[in-house]
């Protein structure tokens, strides 16, 4: 919009600019009038400020008038444009010349783009421009272009540097630039704040010094070199709490963790010192410490442990702070903490999707400079930023950057200039700050909090410091980084640097600082004296007594009348909603599924389980890459109108519902999504949380989450979860990456009843299992549930169940094949199997003529914990059996065989051989050739059902 000006004002303004090339300017002005965005930003500012150029809207002036006007230099317009480019480049690349490296070890980049000479501009050229021409919103005390350039360089190249040019949202980018250019940033700290900051730095430093002196050679992953991280977190907690956050969720790796636990989470010094005092012999364990401080394979090392703290305003809880437990897989805690936050933000007490309030919880993740660009889980987690099912209103990321990873320098650990560059792809604002300037670090945190609260998006701070000691205090870094550590040894600590600054300002004295140091040392010595003579506390374990008896008592049946009412309501649609006709016909078949003589298939059993669970007041959350429809198109819980694309979820309008039902398609990620769902479940244990893999094989990509959190979280940290993993599994000729959910890996991880692993063969079993799992949430018996879920069996009529089986039954760990085993004394072969192969055996039997009283088939529906009593009782009935045969479709070195063989041999009657029937050992899970698959599958089934093969096996001495 052009400001209205008088002709005299306009002419005067242009005359002061020495009259640019009128023809060119007139052309630009005409383009500007038609479309302001079609001209360079510098021209737009010129026209907005000075209005129309002379003669742009009038007839050419007489020659005499032109000659009589003031002389002009046509090159000045170009200089104005170039000055605008210089301003843009200072904003975009000023960080390259910033003073953000305490040790001066980062290679210096080319910063000529920041020099006026690169644009043919001199000081006098810039001084000829008014500051407002090249800097919109320049402070009043900045008059000329030269002063503007100097001020902007000072702003963008100090000890705090900014990268905002990659933020595409114009409003956000302008807000960020104007904030830092306002002249009020960074806002100066008060005298009290400065003194308190110094005191905190002294506490941080002395804590590390005390550990270093007292527990010589023990690993602690010192914070030194990035000491200011603790007061930064103090400021973040204060800011977020003041803005109403009821939960602050934190995740970080080892470095600095003990200091954060002590000073941010308030973990008593005595407790930390006790863990050192009674720790095992450091010489027996590798770098990261593989055994915990407790005896036995339970517990965890002290620098993996999390903590919780409650901040109160009087007697009222203001904010709960949680630091998540974290294994040595440094960044894998990221999605877990993101899941914490989403769970804390959502109200799940009402039907429909949960109601989210992003102001209720805030997240901060502290990363390593090598791990941030190096571990793919970081990118997966950053991708949550705007996704409806996973965003949580913005995370503040801090890279605790010491420019080295173990012994690897940055040139060997990343291909980017900064450790933070990955974040640019997600348009996350980035601030780099020198860890030796505490006040700049506090300013960075305040900016991050303000941005997050305003725009509800992520913000990243690259805290550039160094590492004072080796990787774990038992390592000597001089062997690999001699030049760097020569600098480190002579570099003053940040507390000393800041103390000297405050002494010059007259805020503190050397004597005051000495008293502070002595006071902190005394407090730590007193804490240590309390514990050094104490006996070691008895080792603790989170192992629980067997829960099967309690679990068996859970009633999971739902009255048939209630199921029919729910089913009828699930089939209702809003008036005018147009379901895809083919799908509508499929769904309409469900109308009579609960009638006598009819069957409930897998998908309807699942839907009825979900509906009855939320009708009981238990919230559900399910995610996966295709969770709304399901990979095999069986779920269809989010319907799409074929005419307008609107969506409808029947479970959201269910009259019986008393709790929320959240269903979200997830990004094409396994590790981050599974970690997110685990975190969500841990923080909201009352919720039945389900993650479904597109194919079970893809759970491979989330192996760290499975190994470190799902299978071991309870044993290591006492962290309970009832997460359900649905992993489609079954050999159907689809090749090696669409067959196996790697059942053997979960069975190998089974211990201390840490989770339940099942491979089911009926819709009723699935119905009761889901309801049982929902009933276990929040209880001491809560465990993750690993389901080898079906693919082709979803639509197999032999898997469907009657309504009565849903209303009266319960989950059974073992099923026996109907029609077999009626004459126990005649049974020669006792087959045990699990999952799809059992249904194929049943189908093959149905096609064979003749009696099968020589055979009995047992389906092991729950593989872990092993159903020992049920199988023992079955074996006791078939004492004449000549052979016990385990049948599976997986290769011999996969599936359940290697896990279940010792159990079967232990229970088998004396002298009865236990044999294997399945594919031979393979390096790949399955064949990629349909003909080969079909031949092998048929051979497994025919051999199992061939009575003559018993004698053959015995003859071979199997």
């Amino acid at each position: 919009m052009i400001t209205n000006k008088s002709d005299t004002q306009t002419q005067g303004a242009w005359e002061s600019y020495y009259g640019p090339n009128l023809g060119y300017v007139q052309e630009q002005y005409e383009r500007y009038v038609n479309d302001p965005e079609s001209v360079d930003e510098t021209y737009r500012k010129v026209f907005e400020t000075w209005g129309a150029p002379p003669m742009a809207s009038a007839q050419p002036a007489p020659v005499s008038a032109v000659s009589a006007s003031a002389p002009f230099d046509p090159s000045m317009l170009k200089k104005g444009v170039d000055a605008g480019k210089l301003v843009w480049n200072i904003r975009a690349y000023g960080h390259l010349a910033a003073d953000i490296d305490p040790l001066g070890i980062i290679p210096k980049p080319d910063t000529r783009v920041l020099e006026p000479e690169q644009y043919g501009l001199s000081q006098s050229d810039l001084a000829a421009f008014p500051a407002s021409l090249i800097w919109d919103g320049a402070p009043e005390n900045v008059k000329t272009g030269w002063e503007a350039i100097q001020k902007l360089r000072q702003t963008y190249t100090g000890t705090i540097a900014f990268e905002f040019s990659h933020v595409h949202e114009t409003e956000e980018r302008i807000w960020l630039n104007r904030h830092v250019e306002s002249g009020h940033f960074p806002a100066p700290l008060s005298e009290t704040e400065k003194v308190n900051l110094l005191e905190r730095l002294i506490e941080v430093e002395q804590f590390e010094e005390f550990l270093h002196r007292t527990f010589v050679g023990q690993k602690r992953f010192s914070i030194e070199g990035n000491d200011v991280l603790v007061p930064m977190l103090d400021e973040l907690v204060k800011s977020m709490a003041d803005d109403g956050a009821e939960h602050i969720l934190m995740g970080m790796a080892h470095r600095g963790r003990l200091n954060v636990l002590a000073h941010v989470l308030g973990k008593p010094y005595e407790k930390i010192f006790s863990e050192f005092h009674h720790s095992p012999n450091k010489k027996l364990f590798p770098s990261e410490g593989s055994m915990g401080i407790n005896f036995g394979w339970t517990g965890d090392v002290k620098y993996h442990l999390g903590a919780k703290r409650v901040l109160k305003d009087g007697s009222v809880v203001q904010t709960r702070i949680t630091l998540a437990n974290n294994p040595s897989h440094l960044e894998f805690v990221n999605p877990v903490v993101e899941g914490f936050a989403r769970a804390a933000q959502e109200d799940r007490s009402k039907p429909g999707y949960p109601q989210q309030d992003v102001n209720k919880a805030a997240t901060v993740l502290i990363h390593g400079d090598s791990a941030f660009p190096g571990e793919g889980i970081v990118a997966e987690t950053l991708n949550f930023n705007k996704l409806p099912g996973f965003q949580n209103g913005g995370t503040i990321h801090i890279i605790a950057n010491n420019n080295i990873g173990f012994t690897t320098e940055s040139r060997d650990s990343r291909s980017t200039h900064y450790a933070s560059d990955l974040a640019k792809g997600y348009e996350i604002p980035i601030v780099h700050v020198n860890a030796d300037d505490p006040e700049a670090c506090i300013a960075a945190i305040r900016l991050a909090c303000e941005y997050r609260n305003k725009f509800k998006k992520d913000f990243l701070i690259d805290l550039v410091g160094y590492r004072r000691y080796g990787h774990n205090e038992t390592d000597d870094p001089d062997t690999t980084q001699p030049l760097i550590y020569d600098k480190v040894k002579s570099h003053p600590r940040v507390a000393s640097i800041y103390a000297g600054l405050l002494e010059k300002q007259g805020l503190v004295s050397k004597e005051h600082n000495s008293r502070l140091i002595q006071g902190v040392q005394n407090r730590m010595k007193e804490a240590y004296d309390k514990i050094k003579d104490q006996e070691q506390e008895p080792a603790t374990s989170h192992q629980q007594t067997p829960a099967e008896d309690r679990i068996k008592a859970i009633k999971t049946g739902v009255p048939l009348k209630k199921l029919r009412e729910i089913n009828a309501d699930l089939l209702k649609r809003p008036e005018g909603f147009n379901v895809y006709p083919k799908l509508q016909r499929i769904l309409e078949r469900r109308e009579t599924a609960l009638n006598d003589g009819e069957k409930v298939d897998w998908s309807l059993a699942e839907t009825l389980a979900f509906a009855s669970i939320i009708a009981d007041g238990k919230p559900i959350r399910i995610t996966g890459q295709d969770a709304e429809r399901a990979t095999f198109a069986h779920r269809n819980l989010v319907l799409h109108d074929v005419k307008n694309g609107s969506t409808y979820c029947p479970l959201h309008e269910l009259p019986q519902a008393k709790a929320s039902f959240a269903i979200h398609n997830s990004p094409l990620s396994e590790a981050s999504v599974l970690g997110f769902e685990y975190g969500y479940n841990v923080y909201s244990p009352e919720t039945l949380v389900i993650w479904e893999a597109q194919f079970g094989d893809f759970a491979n990509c989330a192996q760290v989450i499975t190994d470190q959190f799902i299978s071991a979280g309870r044993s290591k940290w006492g962290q309970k979860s009832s997460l359900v993993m649905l992993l489609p599994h079954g050999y159907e000729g689809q090749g090696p990456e669409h067959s196996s959910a790697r059942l053997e890996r979960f069975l190998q991880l089974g211990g201390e009843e840490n989770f339940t692993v099942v491979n089911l063969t009926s819709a009723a079993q699935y119905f009761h299992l889901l309801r049982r799992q929902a009933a276990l949430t929040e209880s001491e018996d809560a465990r993750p549930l690993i389901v080898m879920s079906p693919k082709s069996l979803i639509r197999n009529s032999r898997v469907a169940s009657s309504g009565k089986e849903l209303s009266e039954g319960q989950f059974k760990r073992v099923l026996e094949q109907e029609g077999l085993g009626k004459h126990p004394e005649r049974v020669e072969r006792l087959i045990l199997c699990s999952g799809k192969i059992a249904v194929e055996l049943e189908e093959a039997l149905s096609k064979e003529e003749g009696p099968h009283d020589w055979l009995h088939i047992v389906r092991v529906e729950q593989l872990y914990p092993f159903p020992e009593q049920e199988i023992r009782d079955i074996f006791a009935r078939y004492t004449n059996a000549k052979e016990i045969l385990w049948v599976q479709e997986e290769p011999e070195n996969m599936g359940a065989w290697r896990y279940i063989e010792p159990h079967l041999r232990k229970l088998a009657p004396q002298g009865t051989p236990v044999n294997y029937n399945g594919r031979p050992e393979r390096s790949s899970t399955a064949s990629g050739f349909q003909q080969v698959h079909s031949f092998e599958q048929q051979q497994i089934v025919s051999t199992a059902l061939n009575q003559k093969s018993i004698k053959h096996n015995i003859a071979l001495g199997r």
Side-chain angles (χ1 to χ4, degrees), residues 353 573-580 583 628 636-650 652:
Y353 279 108
R573 304 284 179 266
E575 185 176 351
F577 191 88
N578 304 285
V579 180
Y580 179 50
L583 176 58
E628 294 181 356
N636 293 298
L637 282 179
V638 177
L639 305 176
H640 295 255
D641 190 299
V642 295
K643 294 185 177 180
N644 58 30
S646 62
T647 59
Y648 173 75
C649 178
H652 290 163

Side-chain angles (χ1 to χ4, degrees), residues 236-249 308-313 316-322 360-362 683:
L236 182 144
V237 169
K238 178 181 181 300
S239 177
M240 290 301 183
D242 289 346
D243 284 321
E246 299 172 19
H247 305 263
I248 297 175
L249 297 317
K308 296 180 180 179
R309 182 182 185 183
V310 175
L311 299 182
K312 293 186 177 182
D313 183 4
V316 179
V317 173
Q318 183 183 13
T319 303
R320 300 178 186 274
I321 311 172
T322 301
K360 289 180 64 176
Y683 214 79

Side-chain angles (χ1 to χ4, degrees), residues 521-581:
Q521 291 176 346
N522 290 342
R523 292 203 306 274
M524 285 187 279
K525 186 176 185 304
E526 290 170 8
Y528 179 68
D529 288 342
K530 287 181 182 179
I531 60 94
K532 67 179 181 181
D533 297 324
Q534 293 176 0
E535 293 294 323
Q536 181 171 353
E537 294 180 6
T540 59
S541 172
H542 299 296
Q543 184 175 359
Q544 302 292 319
T545 57
E548 282 302 318
D549 290 341
R550 295 190 296 274
I551 292 175
K552 285 180 181 178
I554 296 174
K555 297 186 182 301
T556 53
V558 178
L560 199 54
K561 180 181 178 182
K562 183 175 181 179
L563 287 175
R564 286 172 176 161
E565 291 173 353
I566 288 174
N567 191 44
D569 288 324
L570 289 171
L571 292 172
K572 295 177 181 177
R573 304 284 179 266
E575 185 176 351
F577 191 88
N578 304 285
V579 180
Y580 179 50

Side-chain angles (χ1 to χ4, degrees), residues 163 166 367 371-383 399 414 416-428 430 460:
E163 285 193 272
H166 59 278
H367 309 272
F372 190 84
E375 296 193 13
I377 192 71
V378 177
E380 288 189 29
T381 306
L382 293 179
N383 191 43
I399 297 178
R414 66 173 187 263
T416 57
H417 180 71
Y418 292 119
S420 58
D421 283 346
L422 173 68
K424 291 181 181 178
Y426 298 92
E427 298 185 45
I428 298 171
I430 299 169
L460 188 146

Side-chain angles (χ1 to χ4, degrees), residues 395-412:
T395 294
I396 294 178
H397 302 268
I398 303 174
I399 297 178
N401 189 342
N402 50 44
N403 289 296
I404 195 167
F406 206 157
T407 66
T408 303
E409 295 178 39
S410 299
R411 65 174 181 267
D412 294 318

Side-chain angles (χ1 to χ4, degrees), residues 729-731 836-837 840 887-891 918-919 937 940:
H729 175 87
Y731 281 55
K836 185 173 76 72
I837 195 69
E840 293 184 348
V887 180
Q888 69 178 37
E889 54 185 352
E890 302 89 351
R919 287 176 169 82
Q937 202 80 354
I940 293 169

Side-chain angles (χ1 to χ4, degrees), residues 744-810:
E744 63 279 357
R745 293 181 181 172
F746 293 96
L747 295 176
Q748 182 188 39
L749 290 170
E752 301 179 282
E753 295 191 3
N754 56 336
F755 48 44
T756 302
V757 182
V758 300
N759 196 8
L760 310 179
T761 60
S762 92
Q765 285 281 83
Y766 185 44
F767 173 87
H768 290 296
L769 187 64
L770 287 174
R771 286 188 50 77
R772 187 183 82 170
Q773 189 71 2
L776 290 173
T777 60
E778 296 184 271
S779 74
E780 281 302 312
D781 297 323
R783 300 287 193 280
L785 171 64
I786 317 300
V787 182
M788 300 292 111
S789 59
K791 295 181 289 183
S792 64
L793 292 191
I794 287 171
R795 294 177 176 83
N796 191 310
S797 61
R798 296 182 181 278
V799 174
S801 304
S802 68
K804 186 177 180 180
E805 289 178 276
L806 274 60
S807 64
E808 298 182 6
Q810 65 178 158

Side-chain angles (χ1 to χ4, degrees), residues 334-336 338-339 342 377-393 426 458 666-667 669-677:
N334 296 351
V336 175
E338 300 287 349
R342 181 66 178 248
I377 192 71
V378 177
E380 288 189 29
T381 306
L382 293 179
N383 191 43
F384 288 152
N385 198 3
K386 298 178 183 177
L387 303 185
F390 301 88
Q391 61 79 23
N392 57 27
Y426 298 92
D458 288 17
S666 74
S669 306
E670 286 79 33
S672 62
V673 177
L674 183 58
F676 187 100
E677 302 309 330

